[in-house]
């Protein structure tokens, strides 16, 4: 049995984009956010009412399922024995798929290959979707190495967080965005899960309505990912889109974990967003709107291709 390619709800519905969300988007929201709720249970109730089908999280799977939502996972693996256990336990919980941060970016090619092989073997063995995330600080940090890895493992499938490539590799360097996108094609056409975040050349997480060309670039990248998903997709197949818009920090005092994704701005005493550059909950809806249009454009492109054939 090959590793799982696409997630599928086993219905007869046409392939679709599913509105999910990463729980980091509502983590530590300031009280002025429209999405602020005092507890995780209240947040999940709000998210379900807003039309999100699943919540993507690090380990909060039981809470998500208890709230009547579908659950998708996030995990990290650094050695070859971990993928099998993740696939086994997450499938037993009734989860839909899991995105993986794989390795630490310092692996040799043979070490990278062993990790990737373990992911594919676990997915095939348990019949459970495992998607390797495009993320800095992991084996996919370098685009060239990632493309080369795809050549060695054509069955690999990805969770795309394109902000790490767009900012980390400065994809629009010298105005070469379109050319660099073509070099990325082997990765884009294998995307089956998505973390929605938009970045610019210098900042890993940028508001949608700031000035710049980066929003249009992300719409193009996402459309290319969706085209790859749609080519060959069958009834019931879906791609999970998860807005993932993270806070500046988690926790307080000595326990503070500084993420620096949201770039803090000077906050006036009465600033309802407490220095965050935008309302992350609202940003999630903006990203869903952009993704929905990109998916519609991808459908039109693939439909035209099929008509020509």
């Amino acid at each position: 049995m090959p590793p799982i390619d696409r997630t599928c709800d086993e219905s007869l519905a046409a392939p679709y984009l599913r509105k999910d969300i990463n729980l980091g988007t509502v983590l530590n929201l300031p009280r002025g956010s429209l999405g602020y709720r005092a507890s995780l249970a209240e947040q999940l109730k709000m998210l379900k009412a807003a039309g999100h089908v699943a919540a993507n999280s690090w380990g909060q799977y039981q809470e998500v399922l208890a709230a009547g939502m579908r659950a998708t996972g996030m995990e990290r693996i650094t050695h070859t024995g971990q993928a099998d256990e993740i696939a086994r336990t997450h499938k037993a919980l009734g989860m839909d798929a899991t995105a993986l941060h794989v390795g630490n970016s310092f692996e040799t090619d043979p070490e990278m290959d062993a990790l990737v092989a373990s992911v594919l073997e676990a997915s095939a063995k348990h019949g459970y979707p495992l998607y390797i995330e495009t993320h800095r600080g992991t084996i996919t940090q370098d685009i060239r190495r990632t493309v080369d890895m795809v050549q060695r493992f054509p069955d690999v499938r990805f969770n795309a967080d394109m902000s790490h490539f767009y900012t980390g590799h400065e994809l629009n360097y010298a105005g070469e965005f379109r050319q660099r996108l073509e070099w990325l094609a082997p990765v884009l056409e294998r995307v089956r899960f998505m973390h929605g975040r938009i970045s610019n050349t210098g900042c890993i997480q940028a508001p949608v309505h700031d000035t710049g060309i980066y929003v249009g670039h992300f719409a193009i990248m996402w459309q290319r990912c969706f085209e790859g998903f749609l080519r060959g997709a069958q009834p019931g197949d879906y791609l999970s889109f998860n807005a993932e818009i993270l806070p500046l920090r988690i926790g307080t005092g000595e326990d503070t974990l500084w993420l620096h994704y949201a770039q803090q701005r000077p906050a006036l005493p009465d600033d309802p967003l407490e220095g965050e550059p935008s309302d992350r909950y609202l940003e999630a809806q903006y990203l869903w709107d952009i993704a929905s249009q990109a998916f519609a454009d991808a459908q039109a492109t693939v439909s035209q291709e099929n008509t020509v054939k």
Side-chain angles (χ1 to χ4, degrees), residues 106-115 145 148-149 152-153:
F106 286 91
E107 288 82 7
T108 63
D109 281 355
E111 290 169 337
M112 171 194 279
D113 289 356
L115 287 168
R145 290 189 74 201
D148 290 345
M149 178 264 284
R152 299 191 298 273
F153 295 94

Side-chain angles (χ1 to χ4, degrees), residues 19-21 46-55 69 241 281 284-285:
K19 185 181 182 181
D20 297 340
I21 194 165
M46 170 192 68
L47 294 172
K48 183 179 180 182
H52 297 93
V53 177
M69 297 182 72
F241 179 86
Y281 182 72
Q285 183 59 49

Side-chain angles (χ1 to χ4, degrees), residues 284-299:
Q285 183 59 49
Y286 299 149
L287 294 186
W288 170 250
D289 293 342
I290 294 168
S292 296
Q293 183 59 57
F295 193 81
D297 293 341
Q299 287 175 311

Side-chain angles (χ1 to χ4, degrees), residues 64-265:
V64 170
L65 292 167
M69 297 182 72
R70 305 295 301 175
T72 62
M74 293 179 64
E75 298 286 348
R76 184 187 184 209
I77 69 168
T78 54
H79 62 77
T80 56
Q82 294 171 298
D84 185 86
E85 178 66 11
I86 289 168
R88 183 185 66 79
T89 57
H90 287 196
K91 183 174 183 178
L93 283 172
M95 295 167 60
D96 292 339
T98 298
L100 297 175
H101 290 189
V102 180
N104 58 31
S105 80
F106 286 91
E107 288 82 7
T108 63
D109 281 355
E111 290 169 337
M112 171 194 279
D113 289 356
L115 287 168
V116 174
S118 75
V119 171
L120 298 181
E121 290 166 6
S123 176
K125 176 181 176 181
H126 296 285
Y128 182 78
L130 294 174
Y131 299 128
I132 295 177
E133 185 166 341
T134 58
H135 201 288
R136 298 169 301 170
T138 74
I139 62 169
T140 57
Q141 172 168 285
D142 182 80
I143 290 178
R144 178 72 260 174
R145 290 189 74 201
T146 303
V147 171
D148 290 345
M149 178 264 284
V150 168
Q151 293 177 348
R152 299 191 298 273
F153 295 94
D155 287 339
V156 70
R157 297 296 182 265
F158 293 100
N159 167 36
D161 184 338
M162 299 308 299
S163 65
H164 293 275
F165 282 170
Y166 189 81
T167 303
H169 280 260
E170 196 168 349
L171 284 185
N172 196 41
Y173 178 80
E176 296 174 353
F177 172 75
R178 293 280 185 174
Q179 180 180 349
R180 292 164 186 259
L181 206 61
E182 294 308 314
W183 292 334
L184 256 176
V187 175
L188 302 182
E189 65 191 20
R190 288 170 169 80
V191 169
R192 300 295 184 262
F193 194 97
M194 187 171 286
H195 277 169
R197 177 189 299 110
I198 283 181
S199 65
N200 59 34
T201 299
C203 181
I204 195 71
Q205 183 171 292
V208 169
H209 294 109
D210 275 7
T211 302
I213 60 174
Y214 56 92
V215 174
H217 284 168
F218 271 80
I220 293 168
M221 289 190 290
W222 289 355
Q223 180 179 338
R224 291 288 295 273
C225 293
F226 298 151
E227 289 170 4
F229 162 77
L230 287 167
R231 295 186 183 106
Q234 300 299 311
D237 288 347
Y238 64 89
L239 190 151
S240 171
F241 179 86
N242 302 264
E244 185 191 33
I245 312 170
L246 301 178
L248 175 73
R249 62 184 179 273
I250 301 172
T252 58
E254 294 182 356
D255 296 327
T256 299
L257 174 62
W258 290 91
L259 301 178
H260 289 292
Y261 274 67
Q263 299 298 297
Q264 190 169 24
R265 298 178 179 179

